[in-house]
Amino acid sequence: MPTIKDIAKAAGVSPATVSRILNHDASLNASLETKQKVMETANALHYTKKSYSSGKSAFSLGILQWFSSQQELDDSYYLQIRQGIEDFCMKNCIAVIRTFKTDLNYLEALKEADGIVCIGKFSKEDIQQFASLTKNIIFLDMPVKDLRFSSITLDFEQAMYDGLTYLEELGHRRIGFLNGKEYAGKGHPFPDTRKKYFVKFCKKHKIQYEPYLLEDTFDAASGYRMMKTLMERGTLPTALFAASDPIAMGAMKALADSGLKVPEDISVLGFDDTALAEFTTPPLTTLHAPAYDMGSYGASLVYHMLKLEPETAMKVLLPCRLVVRESCRSIF
C-alpha cells in the first residue's frame, strides 16, 4: 500500500508537504501546480485515504464529458464548463480524472473517483451505470428528473423570454429561430426546451415564426446551411434568434456571402456569449450563459456532498443575461 513518503518521492516534494496538501492545510505556502501534482500523484499511486470522519479529506473528482475531445474544442461552451471544474479542483487540492464517453475504458477510469461531474446529455442507462460507481454525482447542462441526483442547468425559459422581448421591443414581428439537435444514448434525441419556449412566446405575442424555424446541429456549419435554406425560400424574417453563438456566426457568414448586412438587412441574436462573440462583424448581441460558473458550482457541490452527505439532491437553475452589442437594430 503506497504511503505519504511514496507520494513525496514520486512528486519530488517533502512528506510534510504531501501531508499538509492532502489535509487541505490552508496555511501551506505552495503553488497551485505543486498541489495539483501531489493530488494527481496520490491518485496515480492509488493512495488509500482514511474516511472523512478521521480527518483525511483528499479525494479525486471524475469529469465525464459526453463527446470527444475534438468536439470540445469545436464548442467552447463545454470547454468553459470543464475549465470551471478544473480551476475549482486546483484551488482546493482535488485530483482530477478526466475522461470522455467516447473513450473505450471511461467507466473503468471513473472507478477511482470519489465523485463524478457529468457534462452533457446522458441516457437513463448511462445514469444507472454511473450510480453503480458512486452516489456523489452531479449532472451539468442536463435536467435530471431522478430525485437521487443533483443537476445544474440554465434557465432557458427566462433567457428565451428576455431575448424575444428585446427583439419585440425593437419592433420585430417576424422572427426566425435556428436550433440545434442533441442526442443521448444510442441516437435518442434530447429535447431542447429553447424551441418550446420560443414557440410559446411567439404564439402568445402573435409573432410570425413558422416559416423561419429550422433545426440542425449546434455548430457554425449548420448555421450557415440553415441560413442558406431560409434565403433560398425567398422570404427572410426581420430578426433571427440562434440557439448558440456558433450557429449565429455561421448564419452571419451566409448572409455576408450573399451580400446581406447585419443588422441593416436582418438582426441576429445569439446564445452563449462565447469568447468570439464580441469579435464578429458586427459584434454579436447574445445571451450570456454562465458556463464557467456552472462548472465551478458543480465541482463545489460534489465536494460538499462528500463532506456533508446530504439526503436531498439539488436542482439548480442558473440565470442568463442579455449582452447587447451591435447585431440587432430597431425597425420602428
Side-chain angles (χ1 to χ4, degrees), residues 41-301:
T41 302
N43 182 63
L45 294 175
H46 304 293
Y47 176 71
T48 302
K49 302 175 290 296
K50 295 178 182 179
S51 66
Y52 293 93
S53 60
S54 68
K56 188 68 69 175
S57 58
F59 85 102
S60 59
L61 181 68
I63 303 176
L64 174 61
Q65 293 150 285
W66 70 312
F67 39 69
S68 68
S69 56
Q70 182 58 51
Q71 286 172 302
E72 184 193 51
L73 291 175
D74 294 338
D75 192 335
S76 63
Y77 171 75
Y78 289 107
L79 179 60
Q80 288 179 63
I81 293 177
R82 178 171 65 80
Q83 288 174 336
I85 298 169
E86 293 187 340
D87 284 355
F88 177 89
C89 290
M90 181 171 287
K91 290 175 183 177
N92 291 277
C93 306
I94 299 167
V96 170
I97 302 171
R98 180 154 64 95
T99 186
F100 296 88
K101 195 167 182 290
T102 51
D103 295 344
L104 293 177
N105 63 338
Y106 75 93
L107 287 174
E108 187 66 27
L110 291 172
K111 286 183 178 180
E112 300 298 326
D114 298 297
I116 305 173
V117 179
C118 302
I119 308 173
K121 310 299 189 296
F122 300 92
S123 68
K124 291 181 179 179
E125 292 75 20
D126 291 331
I127 293 173
Q128 293 307 314
Q129 286 185 313
F130 306 155
S132 69
L133 299 176
T134 176
K135 65 178 181 179
N136 303 306
I137 305 173
I138 191 166
F139 292 87
L140 304 185
D141 197 49
M142 172 182 160
V144 180
K145 293 183 179 180
D146 193 318
L147 297 181
R148 293 176 297 168
F149 305 114
S150 295
S151 63
I152 302 178
T153 54
L154 300 177
D155 187 350
F156 284 132
E157 182 172 14
Q158 186 64 48
M160 295 303 293
Y161 177 86
D162 292 344
L164 288 164
T165 298
Y166 172 70
L167 293 176
E168 186 181 36
E169 289 176 346
L170 292 176
H172 296 284
R173 305 299 302 169
R174 290 186 289 119
I175 302 176
F177 186 57
L178 303 185
N179 197 29
K181 291 183 178 180
E182 295 178 318
Y183 298 87
K186 297 179 180 179
H188 299 296
F190 195 93
D192 189 296
T193 55
R194 277 171 286 200
K195 177 183 174 181
K196 179 180 76 172
Y197 296 128
F198 173 83
V199 172
K200 178 182 178 181
F201 183 97
C202 290
K203 285 183 175 179
K204 181 177 180 180
H205 294 256
K206 296 181 171 52
I207 290 173
Q208 186 180 10
Y209 72 92
E210 292 92 337
Y212 321 116
L213 196 160
L214 294 174
E215 293 183 280
D216 198 331
T217 53
F218 279 98
D219 54 53
S222 76
Y224 190 94
R225 289 192 300 268
M226 288 188 282
M227 192 69 249
K228 282 289 190 181
T229 297
L230 288 181
M231 290 188 287
E232 289 167 1
R233 291 178 178 177
T235 303
L236 288 178
T238 61
L240 184 70
F241 198 158
S244 73
D245 285 355
I247 291 176
M249 293 172 190
M252 292 170 73
K253 176 67 164 59
L255 289 164
D257 287 351
S258 298
L260 296 176
K261 294 184 178 181
V262 177
E264 290 84 353
D265 297 309
I266 181 172
S267 293
V268 177
L269 175 65
F271 201 117
D272 286 342
D273 193 27
T274 59
L276 294 177
E278 63 179 310
F279 299 106
T280 59
T281 305
L284 181 64
T285 294
T286 185
L287 283 147
H288 176 78
Y292 181 91
D293 291 343
M294 182 186 292
S296 182
Y297 289 148
S300 175
L301 282 175

